[in-house]
């Protein structure tokens, strides 16, 4: 019920600051092809991430703001980590914890999970109530393979998979 009310509130937002928005071109880390865009804007309820993405695997995906403005791959322990130069989830308070987007004691870059439809598109806006537009410049926006349980248990960082789509927020 809360989710339905939240979506209704998003649809009725009249104070969306269109002049204060960021556009992120998302790149498929495997192919280098464009996966689409995400428009990031502020509303009176928090920051809204509005994706226009295609070519993704259907289902729920981890969706996070990462610390560094890079989508480059890095070598770690002899293995290539796609998008590894983006660093970890944005965590300016250094909590070291993964959690829900609306709780106060975890990474600020923990966003709501991204839903991808059966046709591989993602268009549903996601609301992140804690993070501000001003926090985002010079960061990376990342989509992970697989879901995110917003916890460090039973697996670290929500149990999501590899980094599959990335964009630098300028």
């Amino acid at each position: 019920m809360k989710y339905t009310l939240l979506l209704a509130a998003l649809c009725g937002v009249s104070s969306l600051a269109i002049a204060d928005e960021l556009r992120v071109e998302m790149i498929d880390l495997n192919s280098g092809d464009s996966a689409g865009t995400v428009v990031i804007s502020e509303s009176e309820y928090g920051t809204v991430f509005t994706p226009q993405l295609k070519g993704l695997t259907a289902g729920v995906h981890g969706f996070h703001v990462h610390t560094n403005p890079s989508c480059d791959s890095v070598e770690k322990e002899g293995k290539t980590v796609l998008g590894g130069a983006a660093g970890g989830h944005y965590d300016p308070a250094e909590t070291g914890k993964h959690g829900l987007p609306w709780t106060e004691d975890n990474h600020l870059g923990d966003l709501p999970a991204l839903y991808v439809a059966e046709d591989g598109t993602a268009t549903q806006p996601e609301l992140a109530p804690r993070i501000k537009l001003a926090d985002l410049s010079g960061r990376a926006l990342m989509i992970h393979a697989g879901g995110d349980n917003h916890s460090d248990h039973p697996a670290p960082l929500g149990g999501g998979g590899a980094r599959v789509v990335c964009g630098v927020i300028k």
Side-chain angles (χ1 to χ4, degrees):
M1 188 63 158
K2 288 181 183 176
Y3 191 69
T4 303
L5 294 173
L6 179 63
L7 287 177
L10 266 178
C11 294
V13 170
S14 60
S15 64
L16 192 63
I18 298 300
D20 294 330
E21 69 177 25
L22 301 167
R23 186 173 207 84
V24 180
E25 178 80 15
M26 302 297 287
I27 304 301
D28 181 316
L29 293 173
N30 287 308
S31 69
D33 293 338
S34 175
T37 60
V38 176
V39 174
I40 308 168
S41 55
E42 281 192 352
S43 78
E44 63 186 292
Y45 303 104
T47 300
V48 181
F49 294 78
T50 305
Q52 291 297 317
L53 302 170
K54 62 183 178 355
L56 303 173
T57 304
V60 177
H61 293 266
F63 191 43
H64 307 100
V65 174
H66 284 245
T67 303
N68 304 321
S70 177
C71 295
D72 292 340
S73 296
V74 297
E75 291 292 321
K76 186 175 180 180
E77 299 174 8
K79 296 180 182 179
T80 300
V81 178
L82 296 176
H89 298 176
Y90 180 52
D91 188 20
E94 298 180 1
T95 65
K97 290 175 48 183
H98 189 62
L100 298 164
W102 49 86
T103 55
E104 298 291 331
D105 61 344
N106 53 277
H107 306 145
L108 189 57
D110 293 339
L111 302 177
L114 182 73
Y115 171 75
V116 177
E118 287 296 319
D119 65 359
T121 62
T123 58
Q124 179 176 321
E126 302 291 346
L127 176 67
R130 292 174 43 222
I131 199 161
K132 305 289 182 222
L133 205 59
D135 297 324
L136 299 174
S137 184
R139 311 270 172 237
L141 187 61
M142 191 74 65
I143 300 171
H144 293 262
D148 183 343
N149 70 3
H150 293 99
S151 173
D152 283 321
H153 301 284
L157 300 174
R163 300 165 185 211
V164 294
V165 176
C166 180
V168 173
I169 306 169
K170 298 187 181 196

